[in-house]
């Protein structure tokens, strides 16, 4: 945990930024060791902690001395950011996305910068911005879009190669609006211009911030915060009216219905209930109500009512508009001009345009459209029983069918359209439990992401069926038997489970996950929040272990200590034979081990001895022979 005085500094920075004043003395804050340890605690649990950049340095061998050396290098103006290592990962459309992997020390420096920048900008970021922010996610963005009732038009925007197109000069100008610290801004400028190393060939960078960098998502948000403010000003200008005026045609029919109901009441007072005349009036009312249900109750083009909604997730943003299409075009034109002339970005013509809200569009992988249904329900309005539409201009979220088909194919479950399932031969070498858990994790993750969609169970029902039988086929191949026999062995009322008896005699059951196990979404529930893989470690424990000045393997006290990392504890548990230091990490349920530099060097050389043999009464550590 960050010490109180550093927390107070960060809180003061946030307060100064919130008041609209420029922040000072940020570079001085970077010279405090405690903020570097906090940065390391943020990075250490991630898989990328042991991924090498352009050099061989990772978060392995982290130490207090390493922090002191970085601080001294910064203070003496000798720090020079290294270029990122360029690599590529596949995108959903089959193309490749370029990633920039920073060096090990570079990740630490960027995380310290990110912590400080977040304290400046998080208090002033727009509530309409949801990407790469604390307590924000794709799901908070989608929940926000669901509140856009009675939207008439969707205005879609897309930027060509956003992360690679950010103007360095423009970004520095934006930073200097809030930051009054030349050294701190110059450090960020140097990071942006560090260059790229691809196939061991150096290329300078004149624009963009590399995807994969620790601070890149925040810098991208800072850049588009200017867009958020601009659209907010347009909303203030465009939005008007508290409610839309009633539709005259709807009101006319409603008045006719009211008059006929008054006539029915008079007939009942004069002649009693159930007369043929009353029945005729009721039939006339039913006919009028059907006519009324076919038209909107309010005028969607009311000249005295306008609403412009906005939602952004990183470089993916969407607007909703209630009003005529001509005004929607004018809004699109203004935003396009601002993006191209002020932010110096290029709008993609293919993916930018105006769509009818009743036609499905794609946003963050969901299908989105307004829905008007024919179903009605009984309601009591001002003491009078009536019927109302169950769906009236509400935004609905759907699972795109092409996403389900692509997921099924990419995982190798089989063909969704033909309902053909396949075994996955590469999983037959794993245990039955590992195979089931892998299928469960894949399906649960996909279903949880789409759990906000109203048709999630309907759309994923066949996928769940194919995944289940693909899992059974894989297990059957492992046991060299048929799918039917495997299903019978594991089946119980279409619930398929594998039972394992522990050494203590307890029976553990592992069930194949199916779509019916998906729990309903609760409002406010963070469905797509990432699990904390470091939950067994308190936030201060790693620092305490490092500053205890004791090697956790040989017990030697004092001297130079470093942190040894592994990617996953699971990788160690799968090994048939374990080294003594690996047993220690598994027993302690930790991905890190504090070692003296002598033990750490022996570990990487594959010559770290067993302490049960090396340590004798009076011995101070392993033999140095």
């Amino acid at each position: 945990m960050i010490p109180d005085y550093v927390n107070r500094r960060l809180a003061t920075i946030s307060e100064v930024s919130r008041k609209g004043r420029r922040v000072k003395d940020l570079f001085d804050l970077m010279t405090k060791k405690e903020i570097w340890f906090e940065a390391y605690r943020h990075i250490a649990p991630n898989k990328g902690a042991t991924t090498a950049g352009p050099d061989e340095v990772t978060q392995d061998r982290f130490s207090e001395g390493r922090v002191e050396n970085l601080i001294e290098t910064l203070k003496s103006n000798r720090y020079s950011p290294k270029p990122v290592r360029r690599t590529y990962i596949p995108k959903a459309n089959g193309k490749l996305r370029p990633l920039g992997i920073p060096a090990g020390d570079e990740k630490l420096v960027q995380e310290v910068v990110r912590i400080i920048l977040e304290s400046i900008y998080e208090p002033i970021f727009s509530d309409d911005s949801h990407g790469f922010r604390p307590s924000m996610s794709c799901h908070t963005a989608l929940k926000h879009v669901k509140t856009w009732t009675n939207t008439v038009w969707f205005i879609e925007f897309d930027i060509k190669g956003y992360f690679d197109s950010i103007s360095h000069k423009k970004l520095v100008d934006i930073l200097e609006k809030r930051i009054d610290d030349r050294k701190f801004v110059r450090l960020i400028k140097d990071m942006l211009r560090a260059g790229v190393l691809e196939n061991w060939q150096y290329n300078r960078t004149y624009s963009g911030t590399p995807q994969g960098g620790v601070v890149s998502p925040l810098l991208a948000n800072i850049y588009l915060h200017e867009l958020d403010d601009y659209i907010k000003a347009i909303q203030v200008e465009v939005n008007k009216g508290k409610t839309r005026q009633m539709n005259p045609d709807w009101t006319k029919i409603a008045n006719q219905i009211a008059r006929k109901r008054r006539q029915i009441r008079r007939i009942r007072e004069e002649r009693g209930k159930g007369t043929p005349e009353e029945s005729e009036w009721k039939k006339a009312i039913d006919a009028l109500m059907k006519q009324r249900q076919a038209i909107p109750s309010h005028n969607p083009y009311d000249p005295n009512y306008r609403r412009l909604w906005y939602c952004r997730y990183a470089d993916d943003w969407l607007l909703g508009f209630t009003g005529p299409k001509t005004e929607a075009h004018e809004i699109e034109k203004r935003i396009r001009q601002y993006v191209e002339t002020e932010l110096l970005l290029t709008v993609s013509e293919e993916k930018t345009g105006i769509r009818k809200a009743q036609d499905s569009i794609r946003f963050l992988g969901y299908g989105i459209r307004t829905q008007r249904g024919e179903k009605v329900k009984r309601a009591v309005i001002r003491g009078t029983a009536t019927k109302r539409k169950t769906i009236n201009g509400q935004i609905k979220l759907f699972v795109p069918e092409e996403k389900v088909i692509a997921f099924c194919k990419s995982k190798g479950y089989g063909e969704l359209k033909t309902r053909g399932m396949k075994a996955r031969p590469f999983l037959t070498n794993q245990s039955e439990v590992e195979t089931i858990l892998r299928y469960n994790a894949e399906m649960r993750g996909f279903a949880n992401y789409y759990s906000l969609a109203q048709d999630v169970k309907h759309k994923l029902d066949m996928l769940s069926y194919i995944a289940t039988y693909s899992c059974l086929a894989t297990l059957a191949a492992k046991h060299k038997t048929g799918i039917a026999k495997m299903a019978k062995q594991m089946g119980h009322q279409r619930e398929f489970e594998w039972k394992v008896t522990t050494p203590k005699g307890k029976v553990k059951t592992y069930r194949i996950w199916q779509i019916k196990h998906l729990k309903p979404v609760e409002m406010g529930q963070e469905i797509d929040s990432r699990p904390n893989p470091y939950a067994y470690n308190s936030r201060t424990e790693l620092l305490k272990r490092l500053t205890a000045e004791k090697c956790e393997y040989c017990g030697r006290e004092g001297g130079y200590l470093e942190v040894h990392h592994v990617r996953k504890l699971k990788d160690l548990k799968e090994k048939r034979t374990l080294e003594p230091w690996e047993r220690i990490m598994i027993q302690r349920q930790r991905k890190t081990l504090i070692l003296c530099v002598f033990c750490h060097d022996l570990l990487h050389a594959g010559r770290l001895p067993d302490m049960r043999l090396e340590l004798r009464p009076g011995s101070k550590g392993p033999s140095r022979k």
Side-chain angles (χ1 to χ4, degrees), residues 66 70 278 282 388 418 448:
R66 183 170 165 183
L70 281 170
E278 178 185 347
K282 283 184 176 181
R388 303 192 73 176
T418 61
N448 280 346

Side-chain angles (χ1 to χ4, degrees), residues 9 13 23-32 36 70-79 112-113 116 179-187:
R9 285 281 297 274
I13 288 170
V23 184
K24 301 179 179 181
D25 302 326
L26 301 180
F27 195 84
D28 178 65
L29 181 57
M30 289 189 70
T31 63
K32 310 301 180 187
W36 289 80
L70 281 170
I71 292 175
E72 183 58 34
T73 306
L74 285 166
K75 289 170 72 174
S76 60
N77 295 324
R78 291 183 292 110
Y79 178 77
V112 172
V113 171
I116 296 172
I179 299 171
D180 185 12
D181 190 322
R182 288 185 179 180
K183 283 188 174 182
F184 187 77
V185 174
R186 188 178 64 205
L187 174 62

Side-chain angles (χ1 to χ4, degrees), residues 377-388:
K377 65 177 181 180
R378 292 186 178 277
V380 178
I381 301 176
R382 298 173 186 171
T384 303
T386 185
K387 294 180 180 180
R388 303 192 73 176

Side-chain angles (χ1 to χ4, degrees), residues 304-567:
N304 298 315
Y305 180 87
R306 294 289 183 272
R307 280 297 180 273
L308 179 65
W309 292 276
Y310 169 63
C311 181
R312 181 174 66 83
Y313 187 92
D315 61 330
D316 196 359
W317 77 85
L318 179 70
L319 294 100
F321 181 62
T322 300
K325 191 174 183 179
T326 53
E327 292 183 20
H329 274 297
E330 183 62 29
I331 292 169
E332 182 212 6
K333 183 179 177 181
R334 290 175 62 181
I335 295 174
R336 180 194 294 265
Q337 185 176 4
Y338 179 82
V339 168
E340 293 181 341
T341 59
E342 296 295 326
L343 297 182
L344 308 178
L345 300 170
T346 304
V347 175
S348 171
E349 297 293 339
E350 299 80 16
K351 300 180 181 179
T352 300
I354 299 174
R355 315 279 188 263
K356 285 186 179 180
Q358 291 181 355
D359 298 335
S360 183
I361 65 164
R362 297 289 180 267
F363 184 63
L364 299 180
Y366 272 73
I368 301 175
R369 68 170 181 263
T370 57
Q371 194 172 15
R372 296 184 182 276
E374 298 300 324
K375 292 183 178 180
V376 295
K377 65 177 181 180
R378 292 186 178 277
V380 178
I381 301 176
R382 298 173 186 171
T384 303
T386 185
K387 294 180 180 180
R388 303 192 73 176
K389 291 181 181 179
T390 55
I391 302 171
N392 189 17
Q394 298 175 9
I395 297 286
K396 294 296 180 182
L397 306 180
F398 302 91
V399 182
E401 187 177 1
E402 65 269 17
K403 293 288 184 181
V404 184
I405 294 172
F407 177 80
C408 185
K409 185 177 180 180
S410 66
K411 295 301 178 184
Y413 297 160
E415 291 294 331
L416 194 71
K417 290 186 176 181
T418 61
R419 302 186 181 186
M421 66 288 299
K422 297 179 182 177
R424 299 161 83 184
F426 71 95
L427 293 178
T428 55
N429 292 328
Q430 295 188 357
S431 69
E432 294 84 358
V433 172
E434 287 172 326
T435 300
I436 291 172
L437 291 180
R438 179 172 184 134
Y439 272 89
N440 289 356
E442 292 169 351
M443 276 299 301
R444 189 184 293 113
F446 188 74
N448 280 346
Y449 183 76
Y450 284 105
S451 55
L452 290 177
Q454 69 172 29
D455 62 344
V456 59
K457 290 196 173 182
H458 170 69
K459 282 285 180 64
L460 269 59
D461 183 62
M462 182 52 61
L463 175 66
S464 175
Y465 170 82
I466 292 175
T468 298
Y469 276 88
S470 174
C471 182
L472 289 172
T474 303
L475 294 174
K478 178 180 178 66
H479 288 268
K480 297 180 180 179
T481 185
I483 297 177
K485 289 184 179 179
M486 201 71 217
K488 186 176 181 180
Q489 181 181 343
M490 297 176 61
H492 175 65
Q493 296 180 351
R494 297 193 69 182
E495 294 282 346
F496 302 103
E497 52 191 35
W498 185 266
K499 295 183 179 180
V500 177
T501 304
T502 66
K504 294 184 179 180
K506 293 184 178 179
V507 177
K508 294 190 71 174
T509 301
Y510 297 89
R511 180 181 298 172
I512 299 178
W513 190 89
Q514 297 180 35
I515 189 63
K516 61 184 178 183
H517 299 148
L518 181 67
K519 295 180 180 178
V521 180
E522 300 293 338
M523 288 304 294
Q525 179 183 356
E526 288 301 323
I527 305 159
D528 58 345
S529 59
R530 289 177 293 181
N532 180 12
Y534 222 51
Y536 47 79
N537 244 356
S538 69
R539 292 185 64 81
T540 58
E541 184 183 359
L542 188 60
L543 180 57
K544 288 180 180 178
R545 291 163 56 204
L546 187 58
T547 55
E549 297 186 350
K550 184 177 181 180
C551 177
E552 294 180 342
Y553 189 74
C554 71
R556 184 185 289 106
E557 296 184 357
Y560 191 80
L561 297 174
E562 298 176 336
V563 183
H564 177 68
H565 279 260
V566 296
R567 282 181 178 270

